[in-house]
Amino acid sequence: MSTAPFAQYPALRPRRLRQSPALRRLVAETHLCADQLVLPLFARAGRKLRREIGAMPGVFQLSPDEVLREASRAHEAGVPAVLLFGLPERKDAKASGAYARNGIVQQTVRLLKKELPSLLVITDVCLCEYMSHGHCGIVQRDARGAKILNDPTLKLLAQTAASHAEAGADIVAPSDMMDGRVRAIRERLDREGFIDTPILSYAAKFASAFYGPFRDAAESAPQFGDRRSYQMDSANAREALREVALDLAEGADMVMVKPALACLDLIYRVKTEFGYPTAAYAVSAEYSMVKAAAARGWIDERAVTMESLLAMRRAGADILITYAATDVARWLKS
Ligand SMILES: [Zn+2]
């Protein structure tokens, strides 16, 4: 589509269409709508537990009953989906809590699906919160140091995804960035009869400093080293497209780009190139920075949040994963 104007000034005056709110709304190319929002939630064992995360005001680690309360609030405001993370009571070297039949995510999914059947429950599928070392895969140590093993990790990820589906998860979302995980998960889900459970893959996930506050939220900081041997290098856009292509070829139904604001170019390219439902994850620091600046009166929280999400939509995101989802849904109504 050509964007070259047919007329020129003074016949063409773009300001004509900016004269009133109604006129601006009439010609708006992009819209925010509550249907696009996903609220991430952190579940941990207990009852009536709400532990606020220091760097994320308004975001809590919640016991399952409180997850239900938070999810109900979001759902009532119009948010159609939540993305669930789990904090287990115990961690070990094989992430047993990730695929335990009665693990924290599995329990919470059952509760949510029983009490709020119309809420879509997406589960984050990864091992880092459940591993004593905090990495997303199985670690092998030798004289040269530690290595994150790819292929043996796939089985545990697939087992985790299947256990979430068994608990009633509507969508599973692998975030580990191991090679071949989407295929392993698809095969396992199909084998166990969950042929209708979609996979939303964290396809282009960068090793980003914007995840900082999340590590406190999910208590998943690696005990040694970093995640650069599996998460992507922020320098690479073409590689991100290859990652997306691979995940789609392996059976991903939807793909995600993470983080969001720092990757608007990729959201655009992924949507343009592949045309699949594309999610943008506005990660923890994107939220924390807005909260911190707003608390000092430096920015308008609502306006900055809405403008950021609109930018993700303009780039091509269909699904917006944001810690501000409930607020945004309410703002959209007011
Ligand atoms: Zn992980």
Side-chain angles (χ1 to χ4, degrees):
M1 188 185 66
S2 168
T3 48
F6 295 106
Q8 287 200 339
Y9 171 86
L12 185 67
R13 292 178 182 268
R15 288 186 55 198
R16 279 187 200 121
L17 299 182
R18 298 176 200 149
Q19 292 183 78
S20 70
L23 196 47
R24 290 193 290 272
R25 277 199 299 276
L26 189 69
V27 298
E29 297 172 26
T30 315
H31 295 93
L32 275 181
C33 160
D35 293 339
Q36 299 147 351
L37 299 169
V38 178
L39 175 69
L41 290 171
F42 300 96
R44 72 176 304 153
R47 263 181 57 80
K48 296 199 183 309
L49 177 92
R50 297 176 70 83
R51 194 179 290 176
E52 193 166 33
I53 293 143
M56 302 175 76
V59 180
F60 300 81
Q61 293 177 355
L62 303 163
S63 49
D65 53 322
E66 291 292 325
V67 169
L68 174 61
R69 213 146 75 111
E70 205 66 32
S72 309
R73 236 179 251 152
H75 202 37
E76 270 161 36
V79 176
V82 296
L83 171 60
L84 208 54
F85 294 87
L87 292 91
E89 286 182 278
R90 273 175 302 279
K91 301 175 187 249
D92 58 31
K94 48 188 175 78
S96 317
Y99 41 86
R101 198 182 170 277
N102 214 21
I104 184 68
V105 165
Q106 292 80 354
Q107 276 178 45
T108 310
V109 170
R110 283 190 196 100
L111 179 67
L112 288 174
K113 289 312 295 180
K114 180 166 159 265
E115 301 293 332
L116 293 172
S118 63
L119 176 78
L120 281 172
V121 178
I122 309 172
T123 55
D124 179 86
V125 174
C126 200
L127 306 177
C128 48
E129 297 108 296
Y130 307 89
M131 287 286 199
S132 38
H133 46 64
H135 277 288
C136 304
I138 294 170
V139 168
Q140 185 180 58
R141 293 167 194 270
D142 58 26
R144 281 169 301 164
K147 203 175 165 197
I148 317 300
L149 301 180
N150 193 89
D151 297 5
T153 298
L154 300 183
K155 198 175 156 219
L156 300 187
L157 290 166
Q159 201 173 336
T160 302
S163 77
H164 291 178
E166 200 273 326
D170 295 292
I171 300 169
V172 293
S175 63
D176 51 282
M177 289 301 280
M178 297 298 128
D179 296 331
R181 80 272 169 72
V182 173
R183 189 207 311 229
I185 289 171
R186 185 73 270 159
E187 284 176 359
R188 178 82 181 236
L189 289 174
D190 289 358
R191 205 165 59 233
E192 298 199 12
F194 303 111
I195 55 167
D196 289 325
T197 304
I199 297 175
L200 163 60
S201 89
Y202 288 64
K205 179 179 179 183
F206 290 89
S208 168
F210 286 92
Y211 306 155
F214 176 92
R215 306 232 162 110
D216 291 335
E219 296 179 3
S220 62
Q223 300 298 303
F224 55 86
D226 55 40
R227 302 196 207 275
R228 288 172 196 278
S229 77
Y230 42 106
Q231 295 179 352
M232 287 190 51
D233 184 336
S234 297
N236 297 354
R238 284 187 292 266
E239 186 192 1
L241 298 180
R242 280 202 297 280
E243 280 282 8
V244 171
L246 277 170
D247 282 8
L248 289 171
E250 290 178 25
D253 301 279
M254 300 175 273
V255 290
M256 189 195 301
V257 174
K258 182 180 178 187
L261 274 187
C263 296
L264 291 179
D265 59 324
L266 289 169
I267 296 171
Y268 176 77
R269 291 175 74 174
V270 166
K271 186 65 196 181
T272 310
E273 196 132 326
F274 301 99
Y276 275 67
T278 303
Y281 195 146
V283 300
S284 54
E286 296 181 54
Y287 175 85
S288 301
M289 291 192 298
V290 172
K291 283 285 184 188
R296 286 165 176 76
W298 292 348
I299 59 169
D300 177 334
E301 177 181 354
R302 173 174 170 164
V304 168
T305 302
M306 298 299 247
E307 185 178 328
S308 305
L309 294 172
L310 195 62
M312 295 163 208
R313 291 276 301 140
R314 197 180 65 231
D318 305 290
I319 301 162
L320 305 169
I321 304 171
T322 167
Y323 298 98
T326 308
D327 285 338
V328 171
R330 287 184 186 145
W331 293 335
L332 286 167
K333 282 192 210 168
S334 61

